[in-house]
Amino acid sequence: MRTKNSEYRIGGVSCEALAEKMGTPLQIFDQEKIENRLQEYQTYFKSHRFETGVIYASKAFLCKAMLELLEEQNFCLDVVSGGELHCAKTSSFTMSRIFFHGNNKSQAELEQALEYGVGTVVLDNPEETELLISLAEEKRKRIDVLIRINPGIEAHTHKYIMTAHLDSKFGISIRKKEEIVNMIRSIEKSAFVNFEGIHAHIGSQIFDVQAFREEVRILAEFAEVLEKEDGIPVHTFDLGGGFAATYTAEDSPIPIQEACRAVLKACEEEADKRDLTLRRVFIEPGRSLIAEAGSTLYRIGFQKDTESKHYIFIDGGMADNIRPTLYQAKYNCDNISRLNEAKTVWTTVAGKCCESGDILIEDILLPPCENGDLLLVYTTGAYGYSMASNYNRLPRPAAVFVKNGNARCVLRRETFQDLEALECSDPVEI
């Protein structure tokens, strides 16, 4: 990002011009930033010992334009629903590089995965295991599987994005070894389902590399027990994601090169130490890959002073970014219409949704703002658009990719007509 002639530019494109042409709120993605981060992961997540793979966690942000970039750089893809799977299929993404996650996949979704030729299903529980085996044998479709394990690590993050503690809704506690072994024994009896290894995900927005080392150690200990006590080879570790992004000056993410090196070194050392049959190691970055490449552009409307706060109201809010309301996420922003003016006013940025909790940023220094100014909120590329809703019947914003002075709309703005399209009065025969 840079300024030119007092205009704020992303990817060489004027944000003011984008606002005039596309309207606001507007999600803007710097395509070159995405491509550079994809290349970083592909470059640094390499091992002399293992086959390695980088799986993009598509829940962070998904559209066909994003899938095209992933396909170009031979990324794998993590999906968690039939909708995400359908998006990948209709974009011609390579189905064998898809990992299908989720704690409550429906029968229809599992059938969809088998029909589409998905490479790997990550099993969450014994019931799902039996259902997938039955469907695979019925359809005579082969599929690889991993089993999601809860290693009991509570990474220092918000409880809503902390996923590997022993009471998590995801996966099976590492303490339930007998249950896990029984799942694997059922898989081994199938001619169509192949057990490859184990998966874990210890949380999101993790700043301490030691958390990942500890995850590897615990999984390696468990794999050693499976191999030596039960004769079950564990060929694959999928270590999930959790790599952090920079939202405010308080954040210090682990550099990608350092994170990749630490994870792989831990795997290499543990595999050697325990004489494991480990062959493949995967990670699943989502937020760290897309978050900082995205920004959201808003138009400032009215303002308000209370006894202790100065509010500016924007033309979006929790409908296009629910993270501050959901788990007190913090963001940084600028009034890009007044880049050269001193920041002298403590300001709270509030949305237009009919909720008192619709506060995007609380207490940030900005210059005096005026109705019609443009506010740019940084690092909204992950879990902004993907968690957007039509609360208050607000249409979801458009999204554009920008690069080398060119812009292309990759998700058009919803219209009132789009919202009406689902309305019907069809009789239901019972």
Side-chain angles (χ1 to χ4, degrees):
M1 298 182 183
R2 66 182 189 277
T3 59
K4 181 180 179 181
N5 300 328
S6 296
E7 282 194 338
Y8 197 96
R9 293 175 177 263
I10 302 175
V13 179
S14 161
C15 288
E16 289 82 354
L18 283 172
E20 289 298 321
K21 183 70 175 179
M22 302 293 298
T24 55
L26 180 64
Q27 186 101 47
I28 306 171
F29 288 90
D30 186 330
Q31 182 175 328
E32 189 171 11
K33 272 193 173 182
I34 300 172
E35 292 168 343
N36 289 343
R37 186 55 59 92
L38 289 169
Q39 190 57 54
E40 270 191 281
Y41 272 111
Q42 290 289 50
T43 298
Y44 295 127
F45 199 68
K46 298 290 185 186
S47 169
H48 68 279
R49 172 76 183 273
F50 309 116
E51 176 189 338
T52 56
V54 185
I55 308 168
Y56 172 64
S58 68
K59 61 184 180 289
F61 174 73
L62 184 66
C63 69
K64 292 184 178 180
M66 184 67 191
L67 286 164
E68 289 170 4
L69 300 182
L70 295 166
E71 180 74 10
E72 286 173 5
Q73 298 207 29
N74 294 314
F75 263 63
C76 298
L77 187 71
D78 155 1
V79 302
V80 298
S81 72
E84 291 178 348
L85 186 53
H86 179 76
C87 184
K89 177 68 172 178
T90 55
S91 73
S92 300
F93 190 85
T94 303
M95 292 292 106
S96 62
R97 296 207 305 272
I98 290 181
F99 290 68
F100 192 7
H101 290 260
N103 67 302
N104 191 31
K105 307 177 195 71
S106 68
Q107 178 171 328
E109 287 174 326
L110 290 174
E111 290 174 343
Q112 184 184 8
L114 290 167
E115 291 296 330
Y116 284 1
V118 163
T120 305
V121 169
V122 182
L123 296 170
D124 197 82
N125 55 71
E127 286 182 274
E128 181 185 28
T129 301
E130 296 303 323
L131 177 57
L132 180 63
I133 291 171
S134 174
L135 292 173
E137 292 177 350
E138 175 188 325
K139 297 179 178 297
R140 303 187 68 80
K141 297 282 188 179
R142 299 186 183 279
I143 190 85
D144 288 338
V145 296
L146 304 176
I147 294 177
R148 180 162 183 166
I149 305 295
N150 279 338
I153 298 171
E154 298 193 7
H156 297 290
T157 186
H158 192 282
K159 66 179 181 179
Y160 290 171
I161 51 177
M162 187 169 59
T163 58
H165 57 88
L166 295 175
D167 290 322
S168 172
K169 78 170 194 174
F170 297 107
I172 304 172
S173 168
I174 200 165
R175 296 177 183 174
K176 295 187 175 183
K177 183 204 165 196
E178 183 178 352
E179 188 172 288
I180 294 166
V181 169
N182 288 340
M183 288 171 64
I184 298 170
R185 296 301 184 211
S186 293
I187 293 164
E188 288 176 336
K189 294 174 185 176
S190 172
F192 296 94
V193 183
N194 176 53
F195 173 73
E196 275 295 326
I198 52 182
H199 162 76
H201 178 68
I202 60 174
S204 296
Q205 195 65 352
I206 297 169
F207 297 102
D208 182 6
V209 73
Q210 185 57 35
F212 296 111
R213 294 192 185 103
E214 184 67 5
E215 176 191 13
V216 171
R217 184 189 67 78
I218 292 173
L219 292 185
E221 280 184 354
F222 188 70
E224 182 181 23
V225 171
L226 289 179
E227 293 194 347
K228 294 181 178 176
E229 292 185 7
D230 301 285
I232 297 171
V234 179
H235 296 316
T236 300
F237 281 0
D238 179 350
L239 301 169
F243 308 103
T246 300
Y247 289 90
T248 70
E250 300 171 2
D251 297 330
S252 299
I254 310 161
I256 299 302
Q257 182 176 6
E258 181 182 335
C260 291
R261 184 62 252 160
V263 166
L264 288 172
K265 183 179 180 182
C267 288
E268 291 161 0
E269 290 176 351
E270 291 292 340
D272 287 341
K273 175 181 176 181
R274 303 175 191 281
D275 194 26
L276 301 180
T277 63
L278 188 62
R279 300 173 184 168
R280 286 174 292 275
V281 180
F282 294 92
I283 53 172
E284 299 177 347
R287 176 196 315 274
S288 65
L289 203 154
I290 193 70
E292 294 171 33
S295 303
T296 306
L297 189 62
Y298 299 99
R299 186 78 69 177
I300 297 171
F302 302 130
Q303 302 183 50
K304 173 182 175 179
D305 289 300
T306 66
E307 278 74 8
S308 58
K309 287 186 178 294
H310 173 70
Y311 285 100
I312 60 171
F313 303 137
I314 56 172
D315 55 358
M318 64 184 287
D320 61 78
N321 187 354
I322 199 172
R323 294 184 69 252
T325 305
L326 186 61
Y327 37 74
Q328 296 78 58
K330 295 182 179 180
Y331 287 89
N332 192 16
C333 70
D334 275 310
N335 180 336
I336 63 168
S337 298
R338 303 182 183 280
L339 287 170
N340 299 321
E341 297 183 19
K343 297 179 179 181
T344 58
V345 182
W346 283 104
T347 303
T348 292
V349 181
K352 64 181 282 128
C353 294
C354 195
E355 294 288 340
S356 296
D358 183 22
I359 305 296
L360 197 58
I361 302 175
E362 195 154 12
D363 295 330
I364 186 170
L365 268 176
L366 292 175
C369 300
E370 291 187 8
N371 193 308
D373 286 353
L374 290 172
L375 188 82
L376 189 69
V377 179
Y378 306 109
T379 317
T380 61
Y383 305 107
Y385 191 94
S386 67
M387 297 178 80
S389 74
N390 295 126
Y391 184 57
N392 293 161
R393 298 285 280 194
L394 290 170
R396 282 177 291 188
V400 296
F401 278 18
V402 292
K403 181 181 179 182
N404 296 332
N406 297 309
R408 57 177 174 137
C409 183
V410 298
L411 290 164
R412 67 170 175 82
R413 186 177 305 280
E414 280 186 328
T415 65
F416 295 146
Q417 290 71 33
D418 290 327
L419 301 185
E420 291 175 3
L422 297 177
E423 301 280 356
C424 63
S425 58
D426 300 338
V428 178
E429 295 185 10
I430 305 298

